[in-house]
Amino acid sequence: DSGVTQTPKHLITATGQRVTLRCSPRSGDLSVYWYQQSLDQGLQFLIQYYNGEERAKGNILERFSAQQFPDLHSELNLSSLELGDSALYFCASSVEGRGPKNIQYFGAGTRLSVL
Amino acid sequence: KNQVEQSPQSLIILEGKNCTLQCNYTVSPFSNLRWYKQDTGRGPVSLTIMTFSENTKSNGRYTATLDADTKQSSLHITASQLSDSASYICVPGGGATNKLIFGTGTLLAVQP
């Protein structure tokens, strides 16, 4: 158990809908990362927050948004969902927000299916 | 363009045997390379982290090597166990925010 909690584990919804994925980081970790993993593809970095502030942005679509709250949990909002958004969404957390030795600990993921 | 190529794509070995997984990367800026293990349907777990100045790093039966000049890394697994069956992902990173680029992984199956 990495200590990173993601809910829900599974989510099935229809095209055009909006969903919210939730992540609670490990105790003491200030940084949260969101990744998308589509079938047979490597993890794609979406966005990073550090202590409530956006730190880095990756390949995140305009239909997607995220935030980190004062208690350090984070939410990823996906709207106007399309079939191609079906994927595993992972949250990771780390103590620091940068540095070559900074270890990211991953949650178990949320599997999103858009029908 | 940042790229990570891992080989082989998949591998089947018998329990107790050794194996070596390869990674070639083109990532800039570069300062570190990680290997992760990902069980099916689970989140990745960090195995090793090496900075550009380190040549080798071990974690139990896992030994990673790095040649930053040729932009190559390998992960050697010794005396494989059934629980080693997973995807092994090479992840170079660098830059001010230490952006990580994930490879697509090598899928390893260890058979009894």
Side-chain angles (χ1 to χ4, degrees):
Chain A
D1 184 5
S2 66
V4 178
T5 303
Q6 289 188 246
T7 57
K9 283 186 168 44
H10 303 278
L11 201 48
I12 302 174
T13 188
T15 54
Q17 295 298 306
R18 171 190 168 95
V19 297
T20 298
L21 313 183
R22 182 188 169 99
C23 171
S24 294
R26 294 188 324 151
S27 177
D29 284 358
L30 298 178
S31 198
V32 170
Y33 311 76
W34 286 98
Y35 292 88
Q36 179 192 56
Q37 187 175 35
S38 300
L39 194 63
D40 294 333
Q41 292 198 7
L43 276 78
Q44 297 293 316
F45 169 66
L46 296 178
I47 198 164
Q48 177 199 0
Y49 282 84
Y50 178 79
N51 204 19
E53 300 290 326
E54 183 181 305
R55 170 67 65 85
K57 192 176 264 192
N59 304 321
I60 188 167
L61 300 173
E62 285 191 8
R63 300 183 286 109
F64 296 179
S65 64
Q67 55 183 326
Q68 185 178 29
F69 295 87
D71 67 352
L72 301 179
H73 91 271
S74 177
E75 292 181 356
L76 178 67
N77 300 297
L78 314 177
S79 62
S80 301
L81 285 168
E82 301 175 359
L83 296 177
D85 297 328
S86 296
L88 266 170
Y89 290 85
F90 287 104
C91 168
S93 74
S94 65
V95 173
E96 304 170 358
R98 55 186 60 167
K101 293 273 189 167
N102 185 37
I103 297 177
Q104 294 183 25
Y105 296 87
F106 284 78
T110 292
R111 182 175 294 279
L112 173 66
S113 298
V114 182
L115 305 179
Chain B
K1 180 182 176 182
N2 291 326
Q3 283 188 315
V4 182
E5 293 182 358
Q6 293 189 239
S7 61
Q9 281 191 327
S10 61
L11 182 62
I12 302 173
I13 62 174
L14 294 177
E15 187 179 12
K17 298 296 187 184
N18 304 335
C19 67
T20 301
L21 315 180
Q22 303 290 344
C23 173
N24 294 334
Y25 62 92
T26 306
V27 168
S28 180
F30 172 77
S31 68
N32 63 95
L33 190 135
R34 301 143 190 257
W35 283 91
Y36 277 88
K37 177 187 179 186
Q38 185 176 19
D39 292 316
T40 302
R42 306 290 296 272
V45 175
S46 179
L47 293 176
T48 62
I49 299 178
M50 294 176 288
T51 64
F52 66 90
S53 60
E54 295 178 289
N55 298 122
T56 185
K57 182 67 68 78
S58 291
N59 178 2
R61 295 180 296 102
Y62 301 102
T63 299
T65 65
L66 174 63
D67 185 336
D69 291 331
T70 62
K71 297 180 171 52
Q72 295 179 324
S73 179
S74 67
L75 180 69
H76 185 75
I77 304 175
T78 304
S80 61
Q81 301 175 358
L82 297 178
S83 59
D84 292 332
S85 296
S87 181
Y88 291 85
I89 306 172
C90 172
V91 189
T97 58
N98 195 32
K99 180 179 179 181
L100 301 182
I101 308 297
F102 285 74
T104 54
T106 290
L107 186 60
L108 175 66
V110 180
Q111 295 184 343

